[in-house]
Amino acid sequence: MKILTAWLRAILPTISVSDRQLADDLTLRGIAVEGVHDLGVSPSGEMNGHLFEMDITTNRVDAMNHRGIAREIATMYALELPALEPVLPAVREAGAASAARPFSVRIDPEAEALCGRFTARVLRGVTVRPSSGEVKTFFELLGQKQISNAVDASNFTLLGMGHPTHAFDLDRIEGGIVVRLARRGEVLKLLDGTTRTLEADDLVVADEQKALGLAGVMGGWESMITPGTKNVLVEAAWFDPAAVRRSSRRHGLHTDASHRFERGADFNAAPLANDLVAELILRDGGTIDGTMVDLAVPAIEQRTAKRAAISLSVREVQRHLGTTVEDGKSEGRRGEDRTSENKKNESRQGEDRDVAGESALRSAVVEQYLTSLGCRMTAEGDGSYSVALPSWRLDLEREIDLIEEVARVFGYNRFANTLPMPLPVLRHPVEAQERAVRTRLLALGFTEAISSTFASAAEAALFAPEETSGSTGEGVALRHVAMENPLSAEATLLRPTMLPGMLAMLANNLNRDVREARLFEQGQVFLGTADDEGVGEVMETASLVLGVTSETTERTSLYSAEDAPIFELKGVIESLASLFTLAGGAESLRFSSEKVPAWMEAGRGGIALLHNRPLAVFGELSRTEQAARKLRQPVYLATIAISELLTLPLQVHTAREISRFQAVERDLSFLFPDTTKWHTIAATIEALALPELERLLPLEIFRDPKGKAIAVGQHSLLFRLVFHSATRTLTDSDLVEASRRVTEALTAMGGVQRMPGS
Amino acid sequence: MTPEIPHLPSYEDPALDAAFEALHGEVATRSARITTLEERETFRLDWLGRKQGRLKLIGDAWLKAAPAEARRALGLRFNQLKQAVDAALERKVPDGSASRSVASAVPKASLDLSLPGLVRRPGTPHPLLETMHAMVKVFGDLGYSVNLGPQVETDFYNFEALNFPPNHPARDTQDTLLLANQSGKAARDRLLMRTHTSPVQIRTMVANDPPLRIVIPGKVHRNDAADATHSPIFHQIEGLAVGPEITFSDLKGTLDHAMKAMFGADVRTRFFPSFFPFTEPSADVQISCIFCGGAGCRKCKHSGWIELLGCGMVDPAVFAAVTDERRRQGRDPEVYDPRRVSGFAFGMGVERIAMIRHGVADIGQFYSGDLRFLEQFG
Ligand SMILES: [Zn+2]
């Protein structure tokens, strides 16, 4: 909305600040001036002032005009806002008949709830011509289209004081005016030249024969003012916000009038607006015929202009708003930041004083602000008031609304910066666990990422098929959760797994030639219970997903280059589990290569089980999927049911005594068939319960694809036994005995010992 | 081997020099023969052994007989000899095949320190979540506890209890992502993606008695078209303080402090009247531009100020909704009587703050997983 400072100064000649200061002061009081444009100098050498580009919040429809802004300015600077007093010529006496028979207006009983007030005045012998005077001047400065004095008068009134009006060519009206609901299918040609077919709940202003205009939205073509118009009917009414919004939306007509009515116009402004329009038209000739018709629906007046006064206590103002920088005299000594506690102590010390007297927000200040905004304040003693509300401020309904007005006019930045009493901080149950997981993943070289909360049905079916979704504690099957209005065809479901998001991110990287990626995302996954009616409840579960793709993994003594990422994921899972106190210790976590999901390449991954419940699935994406997605190198994924861990206490480690005797090592090498897994070998050695065996670790696995050094289907395994005694230095003979027992046990299970160097 | 103690004819400098030169020669000859770790260990014990080491034995013998004025000269020379033994021990034991002289004389110029350092790269924390954690910490230091809530919310918690009127545009499918198949439910129970973290305010008040100081970080969703500054997925941080004497000036002081803690002590704040359904009075908060200090620059569109958050005093209608819900759930409903408590709430977009902090131009980069982007923040 555009506002002229020249117009503001015409309404309020006592403004003493510059236009720019005015813009700043208004903005800080919630009447936002978004742009200030210098309008230069007029041909006659006068300063044109500035044009303000305003951004008024929708609840302040009363401020969407020059007078509304002037009222804010008057309140802000404690100026007197002169009353609007249109001067109209005397009613023509000749028409005794007219006086006896005023122009006929009626509001259909069905329409009474939608038309609260209707004023109409007949002007005869008018001259339709271009506008002059301030209408012409201000419209030119605003860039407002000028049509004719009669039409411009209506627009000028709207821009000036905010109330929409309409001027009809009286001679096109057949009989009197009827405000009624449209007949379904009724056709009306509007001022914009379009023809509309109406619905039964469109409100129209009509004559005895036909609809003349869409009430509160736009006038009709047929009765519009033309250069030949001689007699005019001026309408100023109050229409129901919801009815106007309905018609405006239905017909796609957003007009200045509908904008005002939709947000609640001023019930009492109608007759004044009618006077103002008449005054402007009559400047160019013509007379008033008869008294103005003014129909008001009492029920609507009751809930708008005559709504009940509300009570306001200055104590409440201070209780909500607190301390201002101008409060008391001790401010400077104490510094700016004071806690509530300080304030409380001060008020306690001064209990016998009038609390209101200490605050800059004294009764007198509150009274002045609200009175200036149009409230009528009746003091009820002890800093309390009964406040009658202005008819143009339907947004004011409660005491808190008035408190807000006081804060706004006073200026938010004149309040002090105080701090409330701090309270002891309670840690969120899983905060520490989540942080530990995140810190560990970062340390392990995984970069944190965030992906979409949604998934396509196809991705969900591949990565988290509904059959594997499980059920609630009550045995209700869990299903995928669909969106009513998905963001896109790829986002029709709430993600039941984070794997697709991770895969998309890895693919993104590969497509941009980033071939080395380690990512993780911690987030929520969603499943729902469906009943006959649709989705019942949605379960949100914390989940963790890892993604690895690498072109530089090298074979190590233990892992082939292709297997290394799988073992890296296994290592991460073990490392994360080690953060938590697991009932049953590290033994409660085990790994299995059975029942791997469809997205995984067969034999290229596995699942981790914690207390025999699935904790993680990890492995290489199937070659089919890799090819389908045109990924240039293998990608490895892990999804971890981190919620299983987050509820566990973090591990608190207890120090154990480190032996002051030296540990001794013995490396052994065996040939095994490939069917013999490390797990079995380790279990066999552990079963020997060798005294002082501290650690057992695999060092090297060797296969010869050509079958020369080692037959195909066999591998050599080099492992290390570390012995450590808390009480003595171990001797060679201790190791000889241990080696002998290990060799014997491994030979018994099919191993063949190899000598060093062989 | 019985260690041999060489004869020292005199404690005059020339005699000392000659004797020590011989010992240095012996160290050099013997250390040059070392080819295995075992040999090195023998060498070490031979010279430095605590009881039978040659240095110990010779030292004991020569020092015992030395006149007081010669002790200093003797000590100095023993130190030099010990350094020679140590240096011999530090030399790399060469492979059997390698030439011995090469191993002991690596030219110093071969270390090119201008090559990049060798580092095990840790992962990079996400700039958005780092910003979120930093903000949460600022409020944690002010006595705010973290609370979280679900991303799938009911209409009641997301809108109704927060005083959104039934026809408010935010409730429209144009703005809010709704879950499918909800028509069979009562309006207040219909599920949607929360559009802000504010429902956690309600959940917290329904479940807990005042006083409260909570900070709510979280992911939220709106049915927005994605562009450089908008994303349908984004993050918010919300704060709520409720108690018997919480005031608007407390709100001002809290946010002024928080912005200084976050962006530096020089930052100033400015409050403007605004409108939100769930607060009254409501305010928008600007901070003085962190790039130009308020003088005006391109980043702040030459205004000197950056708009950062919305806030206000908890609307009594919100307390009323909390009270109703507490009554429904059988909790003491009186404790949130707006005549007895007041509160303030504030909320800010994490993306916007992170974009300002890190100079990120496209919000979409936060959700791309693009390592070229993410690794910049490590
Ligand atoms: Zn700047």
Side-chain angles (χ1 to χ4, degrees), chain B residues 268-287:
Chain B
R268 285 158 292 135
T269 54
R270 203 160 74 150
F271 288 66
F272 292 84
S274 186
F275 176 77
F276 306 107
F278 42 99
T279 52
E280 184 153 338
S282 301
D284 287 329
V285 185
Q286 297 181 337
I287 62 165

Short mmCIF file of all heavy atoms in Angstrom, two decimals, chain B residues 268-287:
data_model
loop_
_atom_site.label_atom_id
_atom_site.label_comp_id
_atom_site.label_asym_id
_atom_site.label_seq_id
_atom_site.Cartn_x
_atom_site.Cartn_y
_atom_site.Cartn_z
N ARG B 268 24.21 -5.73 18.16
CA ARG B 268 23.08 -5.08 18.81
C ARG B 268 21.78 -5.71 18.29
O ARG B 268 21.76 -6.27 17.18
CB ARG B 268 23.07 -3.58 18.48
CG ARG B 268 24.14 -2.79 19.25
CD ARG B 268 24.46 -1.48 18.56
NE ARG B 268 25.14 -1.71 17.30
CZ ARG B 268 24.84 -1.08 16.17
NH1 ARG B 268 23.88 -0.19 16.13
NH2 ARG B 268 25.50 -1.35 15.05
N THR B 269 20.72 -5.62 19.07
CA THR B 269 19.43 -6.16 18.63
C THR B 269 18.41 -5.04 18.55
O THR B 269 18.55 -4.01 19.23
CB THR B 269 18.90 -7.23 19.61
OG1 THR B 269 18.87 -6.67 20.92
CG2 THR B 269 19.77 -8.46 19.62
N ARG B 270 17.39 -5.26 17.71
CA ARG B 270 16.34 -4.28 17.53
C ARG B 270 15.02 -5.04 17.41
O ARG B 270 14.95 -6.03 16.68
CB ARG B 270 16.62 -3.51 16.24
CG ARG B 270 16.01 -2.18 16.15
CD ARG B 270 16.73 -1.33 15.12
NE ARG B 270 16.41 -1.75 13.75
CZ ARG B 270 16.40 -0.89 12.71
NH1 ARG B 270 16.65 0.38 12.89
NH2 ARG B 270 16.13 -1.33 11.51
N PHE B 271 14.02 -4.61 18.13
CA PHE B 271 12.75 -5.33 18.17
C PHE B 271 11.66 -4.52 17.48
O PHE B 271 11.53 -3.32 17.72
CB PHE B 271 12.34 -5.60 19.63
CG PHE B 271 13.18 -6.66 20.30
CD1 PHE B 271 14.53 -6.44 20.54
CD2 PHE B 271 12.63 -7.87 20.68
CE1 PHE B 271 15.31 -7.42 21.13
CE2 PHE B 271 13.39 -8.84 21.29
CZ PHE B 271 14.74 -8.62 21.52
N PHE B 272 10.87 -5.20 16.65
CA PHE B 272 9.76 -4.57 15.93
C PHE B 272 8.47 -5.28 16.25
O PHE B 272 8.45 -6.50 16.32
CB PHE B 272 9.96 -4.72 14.41
CG PHE B 272 11.09 -3.96 13.88
CD1 PHE B 272 12.37 -4.49 13.92
CD2 PHE B 272 10.89 -2.72 13.31
CE1 PHE B 272 13.43 -3.79 13.41
CE2 PHE B 272 11.96 -2.02 12.79
CZ PHE B 272 13.23 -2.54 12.84
N PRO B 273 7.38 -4.52 16.34
CA PRO B 273 6.09 -5.19 16.50
C PRO B 273 5.82 -6.12 15.31
O PRO B 273 6.15 -5.79 14.18
CB PRO B 273 5.09 -4.04 16.52
CG PRO B 273 5.88 -2.87 16.99
CD PRO B 273 7.25 -3.06 16.41
N SER B 274 5.25 -7.28 15.60
CA SER B 274 4.92 -8.22 14.54
C SER B 274 3.66 -8.94 14.94
O SER B 274 3.01 -8.57 15.93
CB SER B 274 6.07 -9.19 14.33
OG SER B 274 5.82 -10.02 13.22
N PHE B 275 3.30 -9.97 14.21
CA PHE B 275 2.10 -10.70 14.54
C PHE B 275 2.31 -12.19 14.38
O PHE B 275 2.73 -12.65 13.33
CB PHE B 275 0.94 -10.23 13.66
CG PHE B 275 -0.32 -11.02 13.89
CD1 PHE B 275 -1.10 -10.77 15.01
CD2 PHE B 275 -0.69 -12.03 13.02
CE1 PHE B 275 -2.24 -11.52 15.25
CE2 PHE B 275 -1.84 -12.78 13.26
CZ PHE B 275 -2.61 -12.52 14.37
N PHE B 276 2.05 -12.96 15.42
CA PHE B 276 1.99 -14.42 15.35
C PHE B 276 0.76 -14.83 16.15
O PHE B 276 0.44 -14.20 17.16
CB PHE B 276 3.23 -15.06 15.97
CG PHE B 276 4.53 -14.56 15.38
CD1 PHE B 276 5.35 -13.72 16.10
CD2 PHE B 276 4.90 -14.90 14.09
CE1 PHE B 276 6.54 -13.23 15.55
CE2 PHE B 276 6.07 -14.42 13.53
CZ PHE B 276 6.89 -13.58 14.26
N PRO B 277 0.09 -15.90 15.72
CA PRO B 277 -1.16 -16.27 16.43
C PRO B 277 -0.92 -16.63 17.89
O PRO B 277 -1.80 -16.46 18.72
CB PRO B 277 -1.67 -17.48 15.64
CG PRO B 277 -1.02 -17.40 14.31
CD PRO B 277 0.31 -16.73 14.54
N PHE B 278 0.27 -17.16 18.20
CA PHE B 278 0.47 -17.73 19.54
C PHE B 278 1.25 -16.84 20.49
O PHE B 278 1.60 -17.26 21.59
CB PHE B 278 1.11 -19.11 19.43
CG PHE B 278 2.22 -19.19 18.41
CD1 PHE B 278 3.54 -19.11 18.78
CD2 PHE B 278 1.90 -19.34 17.06
CE1 PHE B 278 4.54 -19.17 17.82
CE2 PHE B 278 2.90 -19.41 16.10
CZ PHE B 278 4.22 -19.32 16.48
N THR B 279 1.57 -15.62 20.05
CA THR B 279 2.21 -14.68 20.99
C THR B 279 1.54 -13.33 20.91
O THR B 279 1.02 -12.93 19.89
CB THR B 279 3.71 -14.51 20.68
OG1 THR B 279 3.86 -14.19 19.30
CG2 THR B 279 4.51 -15.74 21.02
N GLU B 280 1.58 -12.63 22.02
CA GLU B 280 1.08 -11.27 22.07
C GLU B 280 1.58 -10.61 23.35
O GLU B 280 1.33 -11.14 24.42
CB GLU B 280 -0.45 -11.25 22.03
CG GLU B 280 -0.98 -9.84 21.97
CD GLU B 280 -2.36 -9.75 21.30
OE1 GLU B 280 -2.72 -10.65 20.53
OE2 GLU B 280 -3.04 -8.77 21.57
N PRO B 281 2.30 -9.50 23.28
CA PRO B 281 2.78 -8.85 22.05
C PRO B 281 3.78 -9.74 21.31
O PRO B 281 4.46 -10.55 21.92
CB PRO B 281 3.50 -7.60 22.57
CG PRO B 281 3.14 -7.47 24.00
CD PRO B 281 2.73 -8.79 24.49
N SER B 282 3.86 -9.54 20.00
CA SER B 282 4.78 -10.29 19.15
C SER B 282 5.83 -9.34 18.60
O SER B 282 5.57 -8.15 18.44
CB SER B 282 4.03 -10.92 17.98
OG SER B 282 3.03 -11.78 18.44
N ALA B 283 7.01 -9.90 18.30
CA ALA B 283 8.07 -9.05 17.77
C ALA B 283 8.91 -9.80 16.75
O ALA B 283 9.06 -11.01 16.83
CB ALA B 283 8.97 -8.55 18.90
N ASP B 284 9.42 -9.05 15.79
CA ASP B 284 10.49 -9.52 14.92
C ASP B 284 11.78 -8.93 15.47
O ASP B 284 11.79 -7.79 15.92
CB ASP B 284 10.30 -9.05 13.48
CG ASP B 284 9.17 -9.78 12.79
OD1 ASP B 284 8.95 -10.96 13.12
OD2 ASP B 284 8.49 -9.17 11.95
N VAL B 285 12.85 -9.71 15.42
CA VAL B 285 14.11 -9.22 15.96
C VAL B 285 15.15 -9.14 14.85
O VAL B 285 15.30 -10.07 14.06
CB VAL B 285 14.63 -10.14 17.09
CG1 VAL B 285 15.87 -9.54 17.73
CG2 VAL B 285 13.54 -10.35 18.12
N GLN B 286 15.83 -8.01 14.80
CA GLN B 286 16.94 -7.84 13.88
C GLN B 286 18.22 -7.73 14.69
O GLN B 286 18.21 -7.24 15.81
CB GLN B 286 16.78 -6.55 13.07
CG GLN B 286 15.55 -6.54 12.19
CD GLN B 286 15.44 -5.26 11.38
OE1 GLN B 286 16.01 -4.24 11.75
NE2 GLN B 286 14.71 -5.31 10.28
N ILE B 287 19.31 -8.19 14.10
CA ILE B 287 20.62 -7.94 14.72
C ILE B 287 21.40 -7.01 13.79
O ILE B 287 21.18 -7.00 12.58
CB ILE B 287 21.43 -9.23 14.97
CG1 ILE B 287 21.74 -9.95 13.65
CG2 ILE B 287 20.70 -10.14 15.92
CD1 ILE B 287 22.82 -11.00 13.81
#
